[in-house]
Amino acid sequence: ELSNSRVINRATFIIDLSQNEEEIWRNFDKKLRNSIRKAEKEKVSIEEIKDKKELNIYYSLSLKTQEEIRNKKGRKSFSIPLFTFFEEIFKNNGGKFLVAKLDGEIIAGALFLFNKDKAVYFQSFSSRANAEKQAPSLIQWEAIKKFKNLGVKEYDLGGVTLELNKDDSRFFVYEFKRKFNGELKKFCNIEIEINKWKKIQDFIIGATYGKTI
């Protein structure tokens, strides 16, 4: 057994993209469908990142969400990869960066990794000031349609932690993903404490992008 480690029971929700769009839509929780309609009514648009400038904006906004999760939701160990990771994904077309825009301003975004068999919801951010616009729900729906049209076989909503108390900030993540009504599949994570290296990463990010909150 590794020191400073623990096993965490996790799960994900898988959507079969061989279904037609109408079937996938009907399987969504009613509240989720209403959230998507709300975003569309608010004139939120979904686009793919076009250039390095938008990628930099994407990363800066992701860092703001990271700080909110750490400071306001108490998850001090939460972190996103270094910018070089996102840059490599973008340069090599290893994933899709989708952003939600309102009046031309980016208010939410998500990164999806994929191959011909599976697409995975990997990372995201959203603006607290525009939370009522429901942009993250619309991003997910547009991603599902995009990957289905590309011939990808299944859509993985990414990991969730099970059996959480409703006061735990991660419970919101579970509830959001559950509403897509995909097939629940369980797995385990091993979490290892690497505080020293995490501090080094935070210093590098801070030196490059400055304080984010």
Side-chain angles (χ1 to χ4, degrees), residues 1-211:
E1 181 178 333
L2 295 170
S3 61
N4 299 321
S5 68
R6 59 175 177 153
V7 175
I8 303 173
N9 292 319
R10 302 270 284 164
T12 188
F13 294 99
I14 304 291
I15 296 175
D16 178 5
L17 297 183
S18 69
Q19 303 173 89
N20 62 47
E21 281 187 17
E22 291 76 16
E23 287 177 304
I24 295 172
W25 175 259
R26 283 199 305 270
N27 285 335
F28 290 170
D29 186 277
K30 181 180 178 181
K31 290 181 180 179
L32 174 63
R33 294 198 300 269
N34 287 340
S35 293
I36 294 169
R37 292 188 185 106
K38 166 75 171 174
E40 292 173 333
K41 185 177 180 181
E42 294 284 348
K43 306 299 183 185
V44 174
S45 62
I46 308 300
E47 302 175 12
E48 278 193 60
I49 282 180
K50 299 183 291 291
D51 53 37
K52 182 76 173 289
K53 179 181 178 181
E54 284 195 339
L55 184 63
N56 275 285
I57 295 170
Y58 180 101
Y59 192 69
S60 294
L61 294 173
S62 293
L63 288 177
K64 288 184 179 180
T65 293
Q66 172 182 277
E67 291 304 308
E68 289 172 356
I69 291 171
R70 287 182 182 178
N71 298 331
K72 296 178 181 178
K73 297 184 179 180
R75 292 162 59 191
K76 299 297 183 183
S77 64
F78 178 85
S79 64
I80 62 173
L82 290 170
F83 179 74
T84 51
F85 170 83
F86 293 90
E87 190 174 34
E88 286 300 310
I89 295 293
F90 182 71
K91 285 195 306 184
N92 296 300
N93 196 31
K96 298 287 185 185
F97 292 87
L98 298 186
V99 292
K101 292 185 178 181
L102 183 66
D103 299 326
E105 178 186 355
I106 295 176
I107 62 171
L111 168 59
F112 306 87
L113 307 179
F114 74 103
N115 58 28
K116 63 183 178 64
D117 295 317
K118 177 183 283 192
V120 179
Y121 169 35
F122 180 76
Q123 178 269 339
S124 66
F125 70 86
S126 61
S127 162
R128 292 171 65 88
N130 290 287
E132 77 283 356
K133 306 298 183 184
Q134 303 296 332
S137 297
L138 183 58
I139 288 176
Q140 293 292 329
W141 177 225
E142 292 300 320
I144 288 167
K145 292 189 289 183
K146 181 179 289 289
F147 290 119
K148 176 175 174 55
N149 290 335
L150 288 172
V152 176
K153 296 176 182 176
E154 61 181 30
Y155 180 72
D156 185 331
L157 277 150
V160 294
T161 304
L162 302 173
E163 300 174 358
L164 292 170
N165 186 291
K166 289 185 178 180
D167 295 328
D168 191 307
S169 63
R170 294 169 298 173
F171 182 78
F172 169 80
V173 177
Y174 168 81
E175 275 294 288
F176 175 72
K177 295 180 179 181
R178 180 192 62 78
K179 290 174 184 175
F180 290 85
N181 282 327
E183 179 187 358
L184 181 70
K185 293 191 175 182
K186 296 182 179 180
F187 62 95
C188 292
N189 276 357
I190 297 178
E191 185 177 273
I192 304 171
E193 185 177 345
I194 49 172
N195 287 344
K196 179 174 70 173
W197 304 112
K198 186 68 196 65
K199 288 178 181 178
I200 292 172
Q201 176 177 307
D202 287 348
F203 174 79
I204 294 170
I205 292 172
T208 304
Y209 288 89
K211 292 290 285 184

